[in-house]
Amino acid sequence: MNRKIVIKVGGSILSTSDSNLFDVENAKKIKEILEPFFLLGDKFVLCSGGGYLSRKYQKIAAEAGADIKKQHFVGIAGINLNAEMLSTIFGKHADSFIPRYENFDTINNLEVKNNVLISAAGSLVH
């Protein structure tokens, strides 16, 4: 088929609670669902969100006196961490480059070299 498919992987799927800051089982399920499509030549861009992890740290930052801009950057750090973890789960299927928020002004064309490109680009405001 050779399609390129973009999927937003909401942070609420990846990071659900204090006891489950990164849900490995949910990430593995996503991988299992997509793997058959790799054999067909389909490629994916998975855009990771921050979920509970980002919201928790944004709240801590706010309580420590961070302004809204700083809170956004704290949330972005959570998105980056979830993207790194998702990339770990996909292993050899994932491209090594993870586009991040700060890269978006400089990237013109993204190429999915392996089966999956993980992007750290979820919602910035919670």
PDB file of all heavy atoms in Angstrom, residues 8 19 41 46 49-51 59 74 82 87 95-96 104 117:
ATOM      1  N   LYS A   8      -2.104  10.837  16.077  1.00  0.00           N
ATOM      2  CA  LYS A   8      -1.866  11.527  17.350  1.00  0.00           C
ATOM      3  C   LYS A   8      -2.049  10.506  18.455  1.00  0.00           C
ATOM      4  O   LYS A   8      -3.123   9.929  18.607  1.00  0.00           O
ATOM      5  CB  LYS A   8      -2.872  12.685  17.500  1.00  0.00           C
ATOM      6  CG  LYS A   8      -2.950  13.307  18.890  1.00  0.00           C
ATOM      7  CD  LYS A   8      -1.696  14.040  19.264  1.00  0.00           C
ATOM      8  CE  LYS A   8      -1.890  14.956  20.447  1.00  0.00           C
ATOM      9  NZ  LYS A   8      -1.746  14.332  21.742  1.00  0.00           N
ATOM     10  N   SER A  19       1.113   6.185  39.413  1.00  0.00           N
ATOM     11  CA  SER A  19       1.622   4.811  39.418  1.00  0.00           C
ATOM     12  C   SER A  19       1.902   4.296  38.012  1.00  0.00           C
ATOM     13  O   SER A  19       2.447   3.204  37.856  1.00  0.00           O
ATOM     14  CB  SER A  19       0.635   3.884  40.130  1.00  0.00           C
ATOM     15  OG  SER A  19      -0.597   3.866  39.435  1.00  0.00           O
ATOM     16  N   GLY A  41       4.323  -2.019   3.692  1.00  0.00           N
ATOM     17  CA  GLY A  41       5.063  -0.844   3.241  1.00  0.00           C
ATOM     18  C   GLY A  41       4.535   0.475   3.771  1.00  0.00           C
ATOM     19  O   GLY A  41       5.026   1.536   3.391  1.00  0.00           O
ATOM     20  N   LEU A  46       3.936   9.129  14.466  1.00  0.00           N
ATOM     21  CA  LEU A  46       3.188   9.109  15.719  1.00  0.00           C
ATOM     22  C   LEU A  46       3.533  10.369  16.499  1.00  0.00           C
ATOM     23  O   LEU A  46       4.690  10.585  16.866  1.00  0.00           O
ATOM     24  CB  LEU A  46       3.532   7.871  16.552  1.00  0.00           C
ATOM     25  CG  LEU A  46       3.278   6.519  15.887  1.00  0.00           C
ATOM     26  CD1 LEU A  46       3.619   5.388  16.845  1.00  0.00           C
ATOM     27  CD2 LEU A  46       1.847   6.408  15.417  1.00  0.00           C
ATOM     28  N   GLY A  49       1.715  12.897  22.893  1.00  0.00           N
ATOM     29  CA  GLY A  49       1.264  13.911  23.832  1.00  0.00           C
ATOM     30  C   GLY A  49       1.951  13.728  25.178  1.00  0.00           C
ATOM     31  O   GLY A  49       2.727  12.792  25.377  1.00  0.00           O
ATOM     32  N   GLY A  50       1.653  14.606  26.110  1.00  0.00           N
ATOM     33  CA  GLY A  50       2.317  14.591  27.408  1.00  0.00           C
ATOM     34  C   GLY A  50       1.559  13.875  28.504  1.00  0.00           C
ATOM     35  O   GLY A  50       2.149  13.334  29.427  1.00  0.00           O
ATOM     36  N   GLY A  51       0.240  13.904  28.435  1.00  0.00           N
ATOM     37  CA  GLY A  51      -0.594  13.201  29.400  1.00  0.00           C
ATOM     38  C   GLY A  51      -0.398  13.635  30.841  1.00  0.00           C
ATOM     39  O   GLY A  51      -0.029  14.778  31.141  1.00  0.00           O
ATOM     40  N   LYS A  59       1.613  21.476  36.987  1.00  0.00           N
ATOM     41  CA  LYS A  59       0.989  21.883  38.251  1.00  0.00           C
ATOM     42  C   LYS A  59       2.058  22.196  39.300  1.00  0.00           C
ATOM     43  O   LYS A  59       1.978  23.202  40.001  1.00  0.00           O
ATOM     44  CB  LYS A  59       0.052  20.781  38.760  1.00  0.00           C
ATOM     45  CG  LYS A  59      -0.660  21.163  40.032  1.00  0.00           C
ATOM     46  CD  LYS A  59      -1.605  20.060  40.490  1.00  0.00           C
ATOM     47  CE  LYS A  59      -2.294  20.525  41.757  1.00  0.00           C
ATOM     48  NZ  LYS A  59      -2.691  19.455  42.608  1.00  0.00           N
ATOM     49  N   VAL A  74       7.631  23.249  30.586  1.00  0.00           N
ATOM     50  CA  VAL A  74       7.650  22.068  31.453  1.00  0.00           C
ATOM     51  C   VAL A  74       6.779  20.970  30.820  1.00  0.00           C
ATOM     52  O   VAL A  74       7.168  19.797  30.774  1.00  0.00           O
ATOM     53  CB  VAL A  74       7.174  22.423  32.878  1.00  0.00           C
ATOM     54  CG1 VAL A  74       6.894  21.177  33.703  1.00  0.00           C
ATOM     55  CG2 VAL A  74       8.220  23.299  33.569  1.00  0.00           C
ATOM     56  N   ASN A  82       7.812  11.327  26.820  1.00  0.00           N
ATOM     57  CA  ASN A  82       6.907  10.290  26.314  1.00  0.00           C
ATOM     58  C   ASN A  82       7.305   9.849  24.904  1.00  0.00           C
ATOM     59  O   ASN A  82       7.217   8.669  24.570  1.00  0.00           O
ATOM     60  CB  ASN A  82       5.459  10.776  26.334  1.00  0.00           C
ATOM     61  CG  ASN A  82       4.843  10.681  27.710  1.00  0.00           C
ATOM     62  OD1 ASN A  82       5.335   9.986  28.586  1.00  0.00           O
ATOM     63  ND2 ASN A  82       3.748  11.390  27.906  1.00  0.00           N
ATOM     64  N   SER A  87       9.528   5.743  21.388  1.00  0.00           N
ATOM     65  CA  SER A  87      10.586   5.332  20.478  1.00  0.00           C
ATOM     66  C   SER A  87      11.301   4.077  20.995  1.00  0.00           C
ATOM     67  O   SER A  87      11.637   3.175  20.220  1.00  0.00           O
ATOM     68  CB  SER A  87      11.586   6.474  20.298  1.00  0.00           C
ATOM     69  OG  SER A  87      12.644   6.089  19.465  1.00  0.00           O
ATOM     70  N   ASP A  95      12.518   5.625  13.700  1.00  0.00           N
ATOM     71  CA  ASP A  95      13.642   6.460  13.286  1.00  0.00           C
ATOM     72  C   ASP A  95      14.346   6.988  14.534  1.00  0.00           C
ATOM     73  O   ASP A  95      13.714   7.211  15.571  1.00  0.00           O
ATOM     74  CB  ASP A  95      13.153   7.652  12.460  1.00  0.00           C
ATOM     75  CG  ASP A  95      12.653   7.245  11.074  1.00  0.00           C
ATOM     76  OD1 ASP A  95      12.675   6.045  10.742  1.00  0.00           O
ATOM     77  OD2 ASP A  95      12.236   8.147  10.321  1.00  0.00           O
ATOM     78  N   SER A  96      15.641   7.204  14.416  1.00  0.00           N
ATOM     79  CA  SER A  96      16.392   7.704  15.575  1.00  0.00           C
ATOM     80  C   SER A  96      16.101   9.182  15.846  1.00  0.00           C
ATOM     81  O   SER A  96      16.151   9.622  16.986  1.00  0.00           O
ATOM     82  CB  SER A  96      17.889   7.483  15.386  1.00  0.00           C
ATOM     83  OG  SER A  96      18.334   8.147  14.223  1.00  0.00           O
ATOM     84  N   PHE A 104      10.525  22.653  14.765  1.00  0.00           N
ATOM     85  CA  PHE A 104       9.502  22.836  13.748  1.00  0.00           C
ATOM     86  C   PHE A 104       9.743  24.016  12.822  1.00  0.00           C
ATOM     87  O   PHE A 104       9.303  24.000  11.680  1.00  0.00           O
ATOM     88  CB  PHE A 104       8.111  22.906  14.370  1.00  0.00           C
ATOM     89  CG  PHE A 104       7.669  21.590  14.925  1.00  0.00           C
ATOM     90  CD1 PHE A 104       6.713  21.543  15.904  1.00  0.00           C
ATOM     91  CD2 PHE A 104       8.206  20.400  14.484  1.00  0.00           C
ATOM     92  CE1 PHE A 104       6.294  20.325  16.434  1.00  0.00           C
ATOM     93  CE2 PHE A 104       7.806  19.178  14.990  1.00  0.00           C
ATOM     94  CZ  PHE A 104       6.848  19.150  15.965  1.00  0.00           C
ATOM     95  N   LEU A 117       8.113   7.262  12.490  1.00  0.00           N
ATOM     96  CA  LEU A 117       8.777   8.465  12.981  1.00  0.00           C
ATOM     97  C   LEU A 117       7.968   8.932  14.185  1.00  0.00           C
ATOM     98  O   LEU A 117       6.757   9.160  14.076  1.00  0.00           O
ATOM     99  CB  LEU A 117       8.789   9.557  11.906  1.00  0.00           C
ATOM    100  CG  LEU A 117       9.339  10.913  12.339  1.00  0.00           C
ATOM    101  CD1 LEU A 117      10.858  10.841  12.509  1.00  0.00           C
ATOM    102  CD2 LEU A 117       8.976  11.980  11.329  1.00  0.00           C
TER     103      LEU A 117
END
